Amino acid sequence: MTFSTARSAAAHQEAKAFFPGGVNSPVRAFKAVGGAPLFIAKGEGAWLTDEDGNRLVDYVLSWGPLLAGHAHPSIVKAITETAALGTSFGAPTTREAQLAIRVQRVFPSMKKLRFVSSGTEATAAALRVARGFTGRERVVKFEGCYHGAQDALLVRAGSGVETLGLPDSPGVPKALAALTTVLPFNDIPALRAFFRSEQGRETACAIIEPVVGNMGLLNPKQGFLEALREETKAAGALLIFDEVMTGFRVARGGVQEKFGIEPDLTCLGKVIGGGLPVGAYGGRADAMGQVAPDGPIYQAGTLSGNPLAMAAGIAMLDLVLTPGFIEGIERSTADLCARLAEVCAKAKVPAQVNQAGSMFTVFFTGEQVFDYASAKTSDTERFKRVHRALLERGVYLPPSQFESAFMSSTHGKAELDHTVQAFSEALRVG
Ligand code: KE4
């Protein structure tokens, strides 16, 4: 069957009349891989069906949220039943505490937390809490890390900013950007030198993707996160783990569980909403105790704690808390990564397959990828060709070399065999 995208292309033309690039989030535009983005008609388990009827194994999974695959019966049931009782009240419901209990079982460092409607809101709120709690204004981020589309952190960020080659975003006030220090990821001497400097002692917080998904998947070097925890503590700066992507994926309890490091604040998103809009920030009770209405630091949201989103999150976390659920996905991710590395080696294609839990990236480079500079050695032209060849063979990878791919509990033997076969062929033509 030929791979037609005529209906997606027509839908894209129509969408361009409404939205910049015809999309509601830049990474969806396929700018880095060319061609019109596929317009999706439905998802079921690990599979997408696009408007042209093409069926593809999905490794984007809505950029991480769908740990249980598309339209999981228990999540759909929870949303459907809750919707019949009303979709939003702007008043507290018991579902919020029901989700919070589950979050704290997985992230015990979040002594107090608040739900918001996106990861961006969560990281923006966490930054404000850190600045309000410490009385300091400077913040630290790491090169290539992405924490959502917010002014203070759209400085040498990853994800779509990197994909589109935008050094930083216009519209961010210079005065604000000047309060953001960018350090190199995985560079221990640089972080020690900064936090022991005068500026370091005036820093409110360091925010980091402790395992990076937004440069593609990068793991921290031995001792890097430990050094960051030590130096921020000594400098009186809060350590914020942005686990919007890594939460429930690098391990059930995220990077903080895997490495045994307790951040002062944690940001969550994606998986926590089971595919509906939920973010969360939280951590130390003394810092969160400063958040309105208990304290003066203001943060609010009309749809925060939305009952539908809470119901989907509760159903999702009940699956996450099922013994063996996370471990099964991690095993199939490791299996796939090993097979993809083998296929690249057999094809004599220089590649690094980086994995952490249920996240992975195939970098087309012969160099180990552990920071922004090494990620940038990847052959993005080869990635573009392979991505297109995979689409034609029914495999949907994130449309950027600088994004992580994701697995779900519904990616079984059939999906992995299909993927490995398609990858092997794509490398020959790509
Ligand atoms: P959202 O506001 O997109 O829900 O979350 C922002 C965010 C915060 N922190 C991390 C570590 C993230 O990865 C994200 C969002 N991730 C991107 C994918 N790299 C979302 C996809 C998109 O921008 O459309």
Side-chain angles (χ1 to χ4, degrees), residues 82 85-102 115 302-312 314:
T82 306
L85 302 173
T87 56
S88 181
F89 308 111
T93 70
T94 55
R95 293 184 197 283
E96 292 147 82
Q98 288 165 17
L99 181 55
I101 288 166
R102 290 163 172 82
F115 292 123
T302 301
L303 294 175
S304 297
N306 172 270
L308 291 197
M310 296 294 104
I314 290 164

Side-chain angles (χ1 to χ4, degrees), residues 79-165:
I79 295 169
T80 310
E81 289 175 354
T82 306
L85 302 173
T87 56
S88 181
F89 308 111
T93 70
T94 55
R95 293 184 197 283
E96 292 147 82
Q98 288 165 17
L99 181 55
I101 288 166
R102 290 163 172 82
V103 170
Q104 287 186 336
R105 275 182 61 191
V106 183
F107 290 92
S109 70
M110 299 177 82
K111 301 285 185 272
K112 274 282 180 80
L113 62 134
R114 172 160 284 166
F115 292 123
V116 293
S117 299
S118 71
T120 299
E121 280 183 87
T123 58
L127 233 58
R128 188 175 309 131
V129 169
R131 283 170 154 158
F133 180 66
T134 62
R136 301 175 179 179
E137 291 191 346
R138 180 158 300 282
V139 300
V140 164
K141 76 173 292 285
F142 291 84
E143 185 173 38
C145 288
Y146 175 73
H147 303 287
Q150 53 154 308
D151 281 357
L153 298 176
L154 274 179
V155 181
R156 283 167 43 211
S159 183
V161 183
E162 185 48 47
T163 299
L164 300 176

Side-chain angles (χ1 to χ4, degrees), residues 25 27 63 118-120 146-148 159 209 214 242 244-245 270 403:
S25 196
V27 283
W63 300 93
S118 71
T120 299
Y146 175 73
H147 303 287
S159 183
E209 291 184 67
N214 288 294
D242 176 353
V244 166
M245 201 184 257
K270 296 181 191 279
E403 290 284 358

Side-chain angles (χ1 to χ4, degrees), residues 34-356:
L38 302 187
F39 277 63
I40 305 305
K42 72 172 177 176
E44 43 191 343
W47 293 84
L48 290 172
T49 301
D50 71 9
E51 287 294 336
D52 291 274
N54 299 307
R55 293 191 74 239
L56 305 100
V57 179
D58 184 9
Y59 290 97
V60 177
L61 293 171
S62 182
W63 300 93
L66 304 178
L67 197 58
H70 291 278
H72 188 284
S74 66
I75 296 175
V76 172
K77 181 171 181 288
I79 295 169
T80 310
E81 289 175 354
T82 306
L85 302 173
T87 56
S88 181
F89 308 111
T93 70
T94 55
R95 293 184 197 283
E96 292 147 82
Q98 288 165 17
L99 181 55
I101 288 166
R102 290 163 172 82
V103 170
Q104 287 186 336
R105 275 182 61 191
V106 183
F107 290 92
S109 70
M110 299 177 82
K111 301 285 185 272
K112 274 282 180 80
L113 62 134
R114 172 160 284 166
F115 292 123
V116 293
S117 299
S118 71
T120 299
E121 280 183 87
T123 58
L127 233 58
R128 188 175 309 131
V129 169
R131 283 170 154 158
F133 180 66
T134 62
R136 301 175 179 179
E137 291 191 346
R138 180 158 300 282
V139 300
V140 164
K141 76 173 292 285
F142 291 84
E143 185 173 38
C145 288
Y146 175 73
H147 303 287
Q150 53 154 308
D151 281 357
L153 298 176
L154 274 179
V155 181
R156 283 167 43 211
S159 183
V161 183
E162 185 48 47
T163 299
L164 300 176
L166 305 170
D168 297 311
S169 170
V172 176
K174 286 190 172 43
L176 182 62
L179 290 172
T180 301
T181 295
V182 183
L183 296 178
F185 186 82
N186 264 336
D187 184 333
I188 295 176
L191 84 82
R192 288 200 190 282
F194 175 80
F195 280 103
R196 295 177 184 183
S197 71
E198 191 182 336
Q199 264 203 344
R201 296 300 195 233
E202 294 161 1
T203 295
C205 64
I207 185 167
I208 190 166
E209 291 184 67
V211 164
V212 185
N214 288 294
M215 281 189 262
L217 195 283
L218 306 188
N219 282 301
K221 277 183 177 172
Q222 179 72 34
F224 175 66
L225 295 177
E226 293 78 359
L228 182 59
R229 176 63 288 180
E230 182 190 326
E231 294 297 338
T232 47
K233 200 179 284 288
L238 298 193
L239 176 57
I240 303 174
F241 269 13
D242 176 353
E243 299 226 47
V244 166
M245 201 184 257
T246 56
F248 315 97
R249 282 195 170 277
V250 166
R252 189 191 318 274
V255 177
Q256 55 195 272
E257 176 189 276
K258 181 173 178 179
F259 285 78
I261 294 175
E262 180 162 340
D264 299 299
L265 295 172
T266 296
C267 301
L268 298 176
K270 296 181 191 279
V271 168
I272 191 177
L276 265 62
V278 180
Y281 68 98
R284 282 171 43 178
D286 57 346
M288 292 301 290
Q290 294 301 303
V291 176
D294 286 351
I297 300 171
Y298 199 72
Q299 179 275 320
T302 301
L303 294 175
S304 297
N306 172 270
L308 291 197
M310 296 294 104
I314 290 164
M316 179 80 250
L317 263 60
D318 281 345
L319 292 168
V320 163
L321 289 162
T322 304
F325 179 80
I326 294 291
E327 295 77 1
I329 305 169
E330 290 181 350
R331 274 195 304 276
S332 56
T333 308
D335 173 24
L336 176 64
C337 288
R339 294 170 70 184
L340 293 182
E342 193 183 333
V343 160
C344 290
K346 269 194 189 141
K348 296 192 177 12
V349 169
Q352 308 294 320
V353 183
N354 285 5
Q355 179 213 342

